[in-house]
Amino acid sequence: MKETIETPPAFGLKEDWNSIQRTLEEIIPVYDKTNRYISLGTDLRIRKAGIALLREVMGTDDFLLLDLGCGTGKMTDLFGAATRTTDRVLLVDPILGMMRIARSRTKAQGLLAVYENLPFRTGSIDAAMAGFSIRDARDLKRALSQLDDVLRPGGRFLIVDLSKPDSKVKSVFISAYWRLIAPVLAFAAAGRQGLKFAALSTTYRRLPKHSQLVELFQMCGFSVEKSESFMIGGASVIVIRKNV
Ligand SMILES: C[S@@+](CC[C@H](N)C(=O)[O-])C[C@H]1O[C@@H](n2cnc3c(N)ncnc32)[C@H](O)[C@@H]1O
C-alpha cells in the first residue's frame, strides 16, 4: 500500500485575503465602534492586558516597536497612553485609509507594508505587536519567518487576537458566536455596514487551533513566554520570544 506523507496545514487567509482586505476598507468608518459592540466591550481590556505583559517582559519602555496590521491604530494609541510616548513605535499596515487614521490618532510614523514582506534590516527591531491582525495574514508561516528575521535575538512579539481552543465544544460555541451573534451586534452598532463584519467568521474559520499555533511559533524560531486567555478561550494574549 502507498504510504501517505502528512504535510503541515498552511495557515493564513490565502485566496480569501483580497476579499477580506476589501471588506476591511469598506468598514473603516464604523470599525472602532463596531469592535466595542461585538467584543461586548472586552477588546479594550484584552488589548491593555497584552500591552502590560509586553512592557513587563521588556523591562523598559524604551524599545523600537512595530504595530503590525495597525488598522486604525488602537494598539499604539493604548501603548502611548500607558508609556506617554509613541516616538519609537512604527505603524505597519497595507491599507492607506487605515494608516491615515492611525497616524493622525497616534502621531507615530507609519509605512504601508505586509507581514509577509517586512522592509526592515535583519535583527533591527526590538519588539512587535499585532492587535486582532495576525489572523488576517495571507500566509502565517511566512509572516512569522519574516518577523523572526527582523527581530533581534530575544526580541518579543505580542499577539492579541481571537483564539481557537483545542476543546471541540468550546470552539464550536465560539465559532457559532462569530457566525450568528456577532453580525447581529454589528448590525445594532453600524446598521447595514455592520453586516460586513460577518467576514470575521471566515478569518476565525481559517485560524489554527491554539496547539497548532504554538507548534508554528516553535517551527518559526519562537518560544511562548507568557499567555492569558479570555472569553472561555475565544480570545488570547500571547507574548512569544525569538530564540537566541
Ligand atoms: C481587524 S484589523 C485590526 C486593526 C488593529 N490592529 C486593531 O487592533 O484594531 C486587521 C488589520 O490587519 C491588516 N492586515 C491584513 N493583512 C495584513 C498583512 N498581510 N500584513 C500586515 N497587515 C495586514 C489589515 O489591513 C487591517 O488593518
Side-chain angles (χ1 to χ4, degrees), residues 64-181:
L64 188 54
L65 173 65
L66 301 180
D67 182 352
L68 296 173
C70 65
T72 57
K74 194 64 199 167
M75 291 298 286
T76 294
D77 188 31
L78 293 172
F79 183 84
T83 63
R84 292 164 190 269
T85 177
T86 56
D87 284 356
R88 302 204 69 205
V89 184
L90 250 178
L91 304 159
V92 178
D93 201 282
I95 299 181
L96 181 61
M98 290 280 192
M99 182 59 76
R100 285 205 176 111
I101 297 175
R103 288 199 59 190
S104 91
R105 173 188 244 173
T106 66
K107 311 293 174 238
Q109 296 296 310
L111 88 168
L112 298 174
V114 288
Y115 275 115
E116 294 82 353
N117 195 6
L118 294 174
F120 305 106
R121 273 185 295 117
T122 297
S124 60
I125 306 292
D126 298 311
M129 61 183 174
F132 301 95
S133 73
I134 187 79
R135 70 178 193 284
D136 285 344
R138 187 197 283 268
D139 179 334
L140 194 48
K141 185 159 180 250
R142 186 173 161 82
L144 288 167
S145 303
Q146 278 280 291
L147 196 58
D148 181 52
D149 180 51
V150 301
L151 282 180
R152 65 165 165 79
R156 294 349 195 266
F157 182 32
L158 162 67
I159 297 153
V160 174
D161 217 320
L162 307 183
S163 63
K164 195 181 271 177
D166 288 300
S167 146
K168 186 85 188 152
V169 177
K170 284 186 183 177
S171 132
V172 165
F173 182 76
I174 294 160
S175 69
Y177 177 85
W178 291 117
R179 205 156 32 86
L180 306 171
I181 301 173

Side-chain angles (χ1 to χ4, degrees), residues 35 38-39 43 46 130-135 159-165 174 177-178 200-201 203-205 207-208 210 213 230-231 233-238:
N35 261 341
I38 61 176
S39 69
D43 76 295
I46 299 171
F132 301 95
S133 73
I134 187 79
R135 70 178 193 284
I159 297 153
V160 174
D161 217 320
L162 307 183
S163 63
K164 195 181 271 177
I174 294 160
Y177 177 85
W178 291 117
L200 256 176
S201 75
T203 65
Y204 189 77
R205 189 164 39 79
L207 190 68
H210 181 76
L213 198 57
F230 299 82
M231 303 170 90
S236 65
V237 161
I238 307 175

